[in-house]
Amino acid sequence: MQQQQKIAVVIGGGNGIGAATVRLMAARGWRVVAADIDPDAAGAIAGEVEGCVGLALDVTDTAGVADAAARIEEDLGPVTALVVSSGAFQESLPPHRMTDDAWSRVMQVNLDGTWHANRIFGNRMAARGMGSIVNIASVTGLFSSPLIAYGTSKAAVIGLTRNLAGEWGRSGVRVNSVSPGVTLVERILKHREEGTRYYGADFGAHAAMGRSVEPAEVAEAIEFLASERSSAITGIDVPVDCGWLIAAPWEMFGGCRPAVNGEVQT
Ligand SMILES: NC(=O)c1ccc[n+]([C@@H]2O[C@H](COP(=O)([O-])OP(=O)(O)OC[C@H]3O[C@@H](n4cnc5c(N)ncnc54)[C@H](O)[C@@H]3O)[C@@H](O)[C@H]2O)c1
């Protein structure tokens, strides 16, 4: 009997890390639904990737996410993997300049949206006794940065991931998160080109590996956690950051050493 194609839903799949994940999962044999608040982006990736279904979806619209989950499963079959890559961002602002609206928008998309998508798809997976959820957090959820709302929302996503993993462990649903470091998606490349926000900074220079992350490298970790290859892994966060997290203390010692470049080590 032919094995049934596994189905993955990638929310925020129209651009950046989500789009890279759609491409990689489709290449690895998944049937992928790319859901995005931007219908053009969802349509474009569906046009590009064979077999991919594009869907306009706002992760903060709880009723819309519930409808989408029911419709996808009716049309395509049970969803095996959910990836939540939708994100809201913020300027680097001191607390007295952070508006309530900006704070709420970041929390609504990054935390509430992730919660509702996890709850809706995860409950369906738990009822069937199988599934894998991968939430996209951030290294800013693991250390201190001037992104007060964004970093706080991502720390909460890592907490949510752990709690749901404990909740659904015996129901066959694994829940993990991936925390990218600065990843060179179009959005960031554009900011860098225009010299806007803080993206002019050379983040890569502060990572142990001396460079930033490519979207496809984050997608590899996501696809691994979504797949059966990670069948005993749940409740963890995987930083994909070229060693940015571990390199921070090296700044006190003048930064990471340059490459050895063939120098003989004895
Ligand atoms: N790129 C990085 O350096 C980086 C670093 C750490 C974490 N992240 C996280 O990775 C995830 C993806 O970010 P990215 O850099 O690929 O950004 P991106 O802007 O390239 O892609 C995000 C996608 O999410 C969609 N989206 C936004 N709000 C939505 C909503 N309400 N409902 C559904 N879709 C929505 C956007 O339309 C877009 O297509 C985000 O959660 C982000 O916080 C990114």
Side-chain angles (χ1 to χ4, degrees), residues 15 17 36-37 57-59 85 137 150 154 180 183 187-188:
N15 285 291
I17 293 168
D36 203 288
I37 195 169
L57 183 71
D58 179 350
V59 77
S85 189
Y150 182 77
K154 293 300 188 174
T183 305
R187 178 177 57 79
I188 284 186

Side-chain angles (χ1 to χ4, degrees), residues 8-228:
V9 175
V10 182
I11 303 181
N15 285 291
I17 293 168
T21 304
V22 169
R23 290 186 189 102
L24 182 72
M25 291 189 92
R28 298 256 164 94
W30 294 76
R31 181 88 199 267
V32 190
V33 178
D36 203 288
I37 195 169
D38 177 350
D40 294 340
I45 190 88
E48 176 200 317
V49 175
E50 206 185 324
C52 172
V53 177
L55 185 70
L57 183 71
D58 179 350
V59 77
T60 68
D61 170 11
T62 312
V65 175
D67 279 355
R71 249 185 312 128
I72 290 166
E73 297 207 330
E74 211 174 281
D75 294 350
L76 303 180
V79 172
T80 327
L82 171 71
V83 177
V84 186
S85 189
S86 35
F89 309 96
Q90 68 155 106
E91 301 291 332
S92 163
L93 293 171
H96 68 277
R97 290 190 50 213
M98 184 83 196
T99 65
D100 288 350
D101 280 355
W103 172 274
S104 298
R105 182 66 192 157
V106 168
M107 289 299 162
Q108 273 164 16
V109 175
N110 295 359
L111 179 56
D112 299 355
T114 303
W115 155 239
H116 288 299
N118 278 225
R119 175 176 63 79
I120 289 162
F121 282 91
N123 275 334
R124 289 174 163 268
M125 291 172 176
R128 285 191 293 270
M130 71 167 240
S132 178
I133 297 175
V134 186
N135 294 318
I136 313 310
S138 164
V139 287
T140 60
L142 296 164
F143 59 26
S144 176
S145 82
L147 306 177
I148 180 89
Y150 182 77
T152 304
S153 74
K154 293 300 188 174
V157 166
I158 293 167
L160 173 71
T161 299
R162 261 190 227 125
N163 290 331
L164 288 177
E167 192 67 49
W168 286 327
R170 288 165 194 226
S171 303
V173 181
R174 298 183 297 109
V175 191
N176 294 291
S177 59
V178 168
S179 281
V182 170
T183 305
L184 301 176
V185 300
E186 291 287 320
R187 178 177 57 79
I188 284 186
L189 292 174
K190 196 158 161 265
H191 281 306
R192 187 169 278 185
E193 224 173 79
E194 293 167 354
T196 47
R197 291 201 176 172
Y198 39 83
Y199 294 114
D202 187 1
F203 287 101
H206 298 278
M209 293 168 69
R211 67 170 177 90
S212 297
V213 183
E214 293 297 329
E217 294 177 306
V218 186
E220 283 287 351
I222 296 170
E223 199 271 335
F224 170 70
L225 291 171
S227 79
E228 274 302 297

